[in-house]
Amino acid sequence: MRRLFPLTASSVPAPDSENTVVGAMDPTDREWTLDELADAYAYPAADDPARSGRTGWLRANMVSSVDGAAHHEGRSQPLSGDADMRIFGVLRGLADAVVAGAETVRQEGYRPARAREAFAARRAAAGQGPAPAIAVVTAGLALDFTLPLFTEPLVPTLVLTGAGAPADRVAKARAAGVEVLFAGEGQGVDPARVTGVLAERGHTRLLTEGGPKLLGQFAAAGALDELCLSLAPVVAVGDAPRIMNGPAVPVPERFALASVLEEGGFLFTRYRRP
């Protein structure tokens, strides 16, 4: 893996009249340690001006083919690779909670997040639990509460829905020991309220893994703070959606490029709200 942006003094070679172009990127390609990746993807500190007026920080992690597909035949795994999975693990290792839509949970076969020794000291120092909680966003609560995601979590799985969700399904979820949180007045979730509701539970470092519909809703509501986008060097064709599939916004919102890493043809980009 190598860093393409931002460049630092140590990553720009000294001028060489024959072989080096001033400003060229560091050609060093090596496997980064998990600690190096964790530092590169650290959440902004609570006093960071970027977090002013915000109860938490919602970052998204998505992968896309070069022709814009968010998945292949319903799953993101065919677009991924070893380096992408390392970053996926690091982003989970840094988060208080992982937010995902019910359809993504079903399609990707979500299981409880696991504790990883590599992040134990870092999480303890940050006052975090041993693993992130999974927070499932759903309007109808059409979930199988006998699955390990709900019966075997190291940290209790949360369900986010609206106050108008079917009362019988809410009761069924709670009878199964699931904590149901209301983040909207109607049947579904108000995406602008998710960060605040989870912050009340002490979850301020948030990671969403989509899918495209949920991520589009977060972006349209102005609730998305950061996008970590892995661009895979594959062409998927087909009719898969883009990484965001939600309501149109009156004016496209501009994000600032924070970093770019590269490995094996994959580009790992990070964009932040300016």
Side-chain angles (χ1 to χ4, degrees), residues 36-63:
E36 287 177 306
L37 286 172
D39 288 341
Y41 283 92
Y43 281 82
D47 59 355
D48 190 311
R51 289 187 56 173
S52 177
R54 306 184 78 82
T55 56
W57 188 265
L58 178 63
R59 86 173 9 149
N61 180 35
M62 298 292 282
V63 63

Side-chain angles (χ1 to χ4, degrees), residues 18-41:
E18 295 183 1
N19 301 317
T20 303
V21 177
V22 175
M25 273 72 81
D26 182 359
T28 302
D29 191 357
R30 61 181 177 82
E31 183 169 322
W32 286 28
T33 67
L34 292 180
D35 276 339
E36 287 177 306
L37 286 172
D39 288 341
Y41 283 92

Side-chain angles (χ1 to χ4, degrees), residues 25-237:
M25 273 72 81
D26 182 359
T28 302
D29 191 357
R30 61 181 177 82
E31 183 169 322
W32 286 28
T33 67
L34 292 180
D35 276 339
E36 287 177 306
L37 286 172
D39 288 341
Y41 283 92
Y43 281 82
D47 59 355
D48 190 311
R51 289 187 56 173
S52 177
R54 306 184 78 82
T55 56
W57 188 265
L58 178 63
R59 86 173 9 149
N61 180 35
M62 298 292 282
V63 63
S64 170
S65 66
V66 291
D67 60 325
H71 58 65
H72 181 65
E73 297 183 345
R75 300 185 66 243
S76 59
Q77 190 278 331
L79 306 183
S80 187
D82 290 344
D84 182 52
M85 291 308 299
R86 286 203 308 276
I87 291 175
F88 173 90
V90 167
L91 294 181
R92 281 198 165 197
L94 296 174
D96 294 332
V98 177
V99 185
E103 185 61 24
T104 294
V105 167
R106 287 189 287 264
Q107 289 284 344
E108 301 284 353
Y110 266 50
R111 296 183 63 84
R114 59 190 179 91
R116 297 181 60 187
E117 183 61 32
F119 300 104
R122 188 182 291 263
R123 292 187 68 86
Q128 296 173 298
I134 304 295
V136 184
V137 176
T138 173
L141 283 87
L143 300 164
D144 184 351
F145 296 113
T146 67
L147 293 177
L149 177 62
F150 300 102
T151 62
E152 302 174 9
L154 186 62
V155 177
T157 296
L158 307 172
V159 167
L160 293 168
T161 191
D168 59 332
R169 293 186 177 178
V170 172
K172 182 179 178 180
R174 287 175 169 164
V178 176
E179 184 175 4
V180 179
L181 305 178
F182 295 128
E185 299 304 321
Q187 182 170 334
V189 161
D190 176 353
R193 292 179 56 179
V194 168
T195 301
V197 168
L198 290 174
E200 291 174 358
R201 297 300 190 278
H203 302 317
T204 58
R205 305 170 188 88
L206 303 178
L207 170 67
T208 180
E209 296 168 350
K213 183 177 179 181
L214 178 63
L215 184 53
Q217 291 172 344
F218 279 135
L224 184 66
D225 297 300
E226 182 178 328
L227 173 63
C228 299
L229 175 62
S230 300
L231 188 63
V234 299
V235 174
V237 197

